[in-house]
Amino acid sequence: MQARHSPHAPRTSASPALVPALSRALTLLERLAQRREPMSLARLASELELPKSSVHGLCSTLLRYGYLARQDDGAFRIGPGVMPLAEAFVSGTGLTQEFNALWAERAPDETVILSVLNGRDVVYIGARNGQRPLGLAFNVGMRLPAHLAATGKAMLAFHAGAAVRELFAGAELTRMNGRGPRGIDELLVELGRTRERGYSVDDEAVRAGVYCFGAPVFDAAGEPVAGIGVCLNKTTLGADAGAEHRDTVLRVARTLTQRLGGRAPAATQD
Amino acid sequence: MQARHSPHAPRTSASPALVPALSRALTLLERLAQRREPMSLARLASELELPKSSVHGLCSTLLRYGYLARQDDGAFRIGPGVMPLAEAFVSGTGLTQEFNALWAERAPDETVILSVLNGRDVVYIGARNGQRPLGLAFNVGMRLPAHLAATGKAMLAFHAGAAVRELFAGAELTRMNGRGPRGIDELLVELGRTRERGYSVDDEAVRAGVYCFGAPVFDAAGEPVAGIGVCLNKTTLGADAGAEHRDTVLRVARTLTQRLGGRAPAATQD
């Protein structure tokens, strides 16, 4: 089957005119969020290749709204004002409430995660870290390349091949652990296999020793709106190659699809 | 005692020049986050009292960066691009990791929450909802008025009175359940009492039937950087007026202060 819609992607054609000051401010926020450390005005200006006076105006405005906070040494970091936006996004999806309700009675044995697509990345909007240590904690808001993460592949598998090609056009398929598809054709082959069997596998492509099954959650239109993943230590897979975990991820994805009033796309119900 | 520093507040004096397009975009995001429903371009333009063409440019830019998402009917909602900012903020505080570690072995019986100040609000950055229903679920990113929430009062109590006056200057002290301080003087009296005993109380000011103890978490400079709250159904307080829960909140706040390498301000150690 071929799905009918395209992922929400950076548009490459017919982009409307962007507001330059706003673009610069959003780039500044992203840079600061990625760097994982506070940055001075001078460093921000240098990294963004902008005059200090311009960065000063952006920072003052972002500070005023709480999107930035300033340390005693004058360095900027992301501020608490971003949190209500995150809450609005998460509650707007309706997904996390249902996801959290699944674990109200019993914490999962293995780490279970919920993600959505954001361009070429997945962003985690729910996580219940399991009892057994993974060496990798999933935090809400964390971002991973969609072509490596099991949840990302589970969603991409139900997008049209042409849309996936457009999404990754001109982009390098990053690798994190020396594994994962080497190019778009290899990715499309893997997505085809994922679509056929209904679940995806990340075999240590994100982190050495970590194995993850993924499955898509569908909305009422049959579109993949989220991905469920079960992540475990690869050494615990056992003789059945983790059949129990594969079944868990499929069951959780199905339950969540039902709770959302969703349905799998027609062609996969054959 | 009087604390020495002021909350991070909307500045009323010597505000640096703001970037107008950025201010408009941040106002748009906040409005959309507050409304809890998708909004059309026309409605956004009308609510923000801006020309449609201007709002169109802002929305296109925010869409491009994933801060907005667009529905099939054309309406805008907050997009997944805000999630990495939230994760950067939360992990940058160092607080939530320690908070979550406290409950790794055993879920708390009652709802335990962690918040930080953002202007006149508290924003929740950690929450472990308890086993017993409260009729009020705390979600990370949720915002409440600091003068009503127990965690907010616990932090404000360790700010200088003059700074608290400045923070609330010209602002109405909203009420949510017909309770809470009627003005700044009444608030300062309550903050004084909170400072003396080391914990705050929210007696149904946020929600009917919900009672909450709060205590401050301090950093290495002795500044209140977060608030811990234990929230329970008021009918379960018992004959000792919830002494056990009050002790829990104080113990958790102390543990978190220690894990952060923090200390209570000198005058409170007497």
Side-chain angles (χ1 to χ4, degrees), chain B residues 173 180-188:
Chain B
L173 293 189
R182 243 166 291 247
I184 184 70
D185 292 320
E186 211 174 309
L187 173 61
L188 288 173

Side-chain angles (χ1 to χ4, degrees), chain A residues 2-174:
Chain A
Q2 287 289 319
R4 301 124 299 158
H5 48 280
S6 60
H8 305 289
R11 300 284 156 75
T12 48
S13 56
S15 288
L18 304 184
V19 178
L22 179 53
S23 287
R24 287 194 288 268
L26 302 181
T27 304
L28 187 159
L29 287 173
E30 284 186 0
R31 192 67 58 93
L32 206 49
Q34 277 164 6
R35 279 287 184 275
R36 303 262 148 210
E37 54 182 0
M39 286 165 79
S40 67
L41 184 69
R43 186 160 163 221
L44 281 167
S46 145
E47 290 221 3
L48 299 169
E49 297 181 18
L50 289 171
K52 267 196 201 178
S53 58
S54 158
V55 175
H56 183 260
L58 298 176
C59 288
S60 300
T61 311
L62 291 166
L63 262 178
R64 174 69 182 71
Y65 284 81
Y67 289 67
L68 289 183
R70 197 155 198 190
Q71 305 194 140
D72 289 342
D73 64 1
F76 294 98
R77 50 185 179 77
I78 301 293
V82 302
M83 297 301 295
L85 298 184
E87 204 246 328
F89 169 69
V90 166
S91 73
T93 68
L95 280 160
T96 38
Q97 210 177 349
E98 296 297 344
F99 177 79
N100 289 326
L102 292 178
W103 317 113
E105 286 170 24
R106 202 175 70 90
D109 296 331
E110 306 293 345
T111 294
V112 184
I113 52 185
L114 176 71
S115 82
V116 294
L117 275 179
N118 182 23
R120 289 188 287 264
D121 290 336
V122 287
V123 173
Y124 292 92
I125 64 171
R128 289 300 297 251
N129 286 291
Q131 310 291 334
R132 299 182 215 165
L134 262 186
L136 172 65
F138 287 91
N139 296 312
V140 169
M142 195 170 93
R143 207 186 252 276
L144 281 177
H147 66 280
L148 296 180
T151 57
K153 291 191 286 188
M155 285 182 274
L156 288 176
F158 291 87
H159 288 103
V164 174
R165 262 186 207 285
E166 191 194 335
L167 180 66
F168 287 95
E172 207 192 330
L173 293 188
T174 24

Side-chain angles (χ1 to χ4, degrees), chain B residues 103 206 241 270:
Chain B
W103 317 113
V206 166
D270 294 349

